[in-house]
Amino acid sequence: MAYEEAKRKLRGSICPVVTPFTEDGAIDEKAFVELINWQIESGSHGISVTGTSGEPSSLTMAERKRVMALAKETIAGRVFFAPGTGSTNHDETMELTKYAEEIGADAAMVIVPYYNRPNQEALYQHFKTVADSVTTPIIIYNIPGRSAVNMEVSTMKRLAEDCPNIVGVKEANKDFEHVNRVLLNCGRDFLLYSGIELLCYPMLAIGGAGFISATANVEPVKVAELYNAWEAGDVARCQDLHFELMPLNDVLFKDTNPGPAKVALGMMGKINPMLRLPLGFPSEALKKEVRDTLIDLGKLPKEAAVN
């Protein structure tokens, strides 16, 4: 996909699909395929896997590749595909990004390395080396709350200027001034995706390309509708959806993602809500809050409140 074409097409609600596990901790491939089909049928414009919601740091390299390949096979060109290929390890990031290109992904989402806390020059060298190794469009994944380092706008601008295949950024960044300056400095055609649920609508208003929202795992129809309403110029509907989604957005992040989302999907009968250690299950009180929120949204019948 040519980079200008990518900038036209890689837009909308991209669901960062969870990785379902069986009771014994293996990847549940059947449930995974069903989740992707449900997402596409529900109107999601794109699919991402092995991002934060997909528990990539709990997967082996072989498992990450299998999840990516299975997703690509299942999507079968119906929507665009942007798997997460980043790691705290540079060589692993290179290998996974090259694999994404090999299987024909539409883009690769590369996270700012977590735990290592690289300085800005190291971030530039890491991303430039990865970008130079492939022709696939690259989406930077900036998530300072998880990685303990923020990619500064000046670093992002250098990368956008020096690497033509770095086409955008997923900003899981609550600093709204920062994300405004991303578009000012990297260009209005730089693809800006919200990774913060309460900023999905505000980022559209400043020229964002869409969002990569964990909430889409549970409520894909309304999350996709938010983007569609914006494209249709229906600001009132966007505002309504923004506030309708807020209770679900809030409850899904009262514990570490994807724990609450997997609990919700389990209640909805979509997956066995298993997590791999070191992640753990939300408290019983939070599970009840998730259930009550799903009932209020019509995702579960009222009688589920007593179960």
Side-chain angles (χ1 to χ4, degrees):
M1 185 185 295
Y3 305 133
E4 292 308 313
E5 182 186 5
K7 288 183 177 183
R8 289 193 298 271
K9 288 188 174 181
L10 302 178
R11 295 175 175 270
S13 173
I14 306 166
C15 182
V17 178
V18 302
T19 305
F21 300 119
T22 61
E23 197 67 36
D24 63 0
I27 294 172
D28 189 338
E29 294 194 359
K30 180 176 182 294
F32 182 66
V33 168
E34 290 172 351
L35 282 178
I36 290 176
N37 285 327
W38 177 57
Q39 284 293 326
I40 296 171
E41 292 160 5
S42 299
S44 291
H45 306 97
I47 298 291
S48 184
V49 299
T50 62
T52 303
S53 299
E55 298 173 69
S57 60
S58 298
L59 303 176
T60 67
M61 287 287 284
E63 286 175 328
R64 288 188 68 168
K65 289 181 178 179
R66 174 57 184 158
V67 167
M68 289 164 61
L70 184 57
K72 180 66 169 62
E73 177 186 331
T74 304
I75 293 165
R78 291 177 288 171
V79 297
F80 65 84
F81 177 45
T85 62
S87 166
T88 192
N89 181 291
H90 177 74
D91 288 343
E92 288 181 358
T93 302
M94 293 279 285
E95 182 178 340
L96 289 167
T97 305
K98 289 177 181 178
Y99 184 72
E101 179 162 271
E102 179 184 326
I103 64 174
D106 297 299
M109 187 170 65
V110 181
I111 194 169
V112 169
Y114 41 93
Y115 182 74
N116 293 329
R117 299 186 67 187
N119 61 34
Q120 295 299 306
E121 180 60 26
L123 281 180
Y124 172 84
Q125 295 298 337
H126 171 68
F127 275 89
K128 187 175 190 307
T129 303
V130 173
D132 286 349
S133 73
V134 295
T135 59
T136 297
I138 300 291
I139 298 167
I140 297 166
Y141 182 10
N142 191 29
I143 181 168
R146 292 262 193 167
S147 62
V149 64
N150 180 50
M151 182 181 284
E152 295 174 3
V153 172
S154 58
T155 305
M156 206 173 296
K157 180 181 180 182
R158 284 180 70 196
L159 287 166
E161 289 174 346
D162 295 348
C163 306
N165 60 328
I166 292 184
V167 298
V169 59
K170 174 185 177 180
E171 280 285 0
N173 194 325
K174 293 183 178 181
D175 184 347
F176 198 58
E177 289 188 15
H178 167 93
V179 298
N180 277 268
R181 296 188 188 283
V182 167
L183 289 183
L184 177 67
N185 286 273
C186 296
R188 298 275 293 277
D189 64 340
F190 198 64
L191 301 176
L192 173 67
Y193 306 95
S194 178
I196 297 293
E197 276 59 29
L198 294 189
L199 293 182
C200 287
Y201 171 46
M203 282 200 201
L204 290 177
I206 63 168
F211 26 81
I212 305 172
S213 167
T215 301
N217 276 290
V218 179
E219 182 58 284
V221 173
K222 285 188 176 180
V223 176
E225 187 187 349
L226 175 58
Y227 181 82
N228 294 337
W230 178 257
E231 283 292 285
D234 192 344
V235 172
R237 183 56 181 154
C238 289
Q239 292 172 338
D240 288 346
L241 286 164
H242 174 75
F243 289 105
E244 285 175 24
L245 287 165
M246 195 176 292
L248 182 59
N249 289 333
D250 287 346
V251 78
L252 291 182
F253 287 88
K254 288 192 173 182
D255 200 346
T256 304
N257 178 51
K262 280 194 159 183
V263 165
L265 288 167
M267 291 175 180
M268 294 162 62
K270 298 291 185 184
I271 65 169
N272 182 2
M274 295 297 295
L275 295 159
R276 282 185 177 175
L277 290 171
L279 290 180
F281 291 105
S283 67
E284 291 303 316
L286 181 51
K287 288 179 183 177
K288 182 181 184 303
E289 198 172 340
V290 170
R291 181 182 294 109
D292 290 346
T293 303
L294 293 177
I295 291 169
D296 290 343
L297 290 170
K299 309 295 289 184
L300 292 178
K302 290 185 178 179
E303 53 266 27
V306 298
N307 295 332

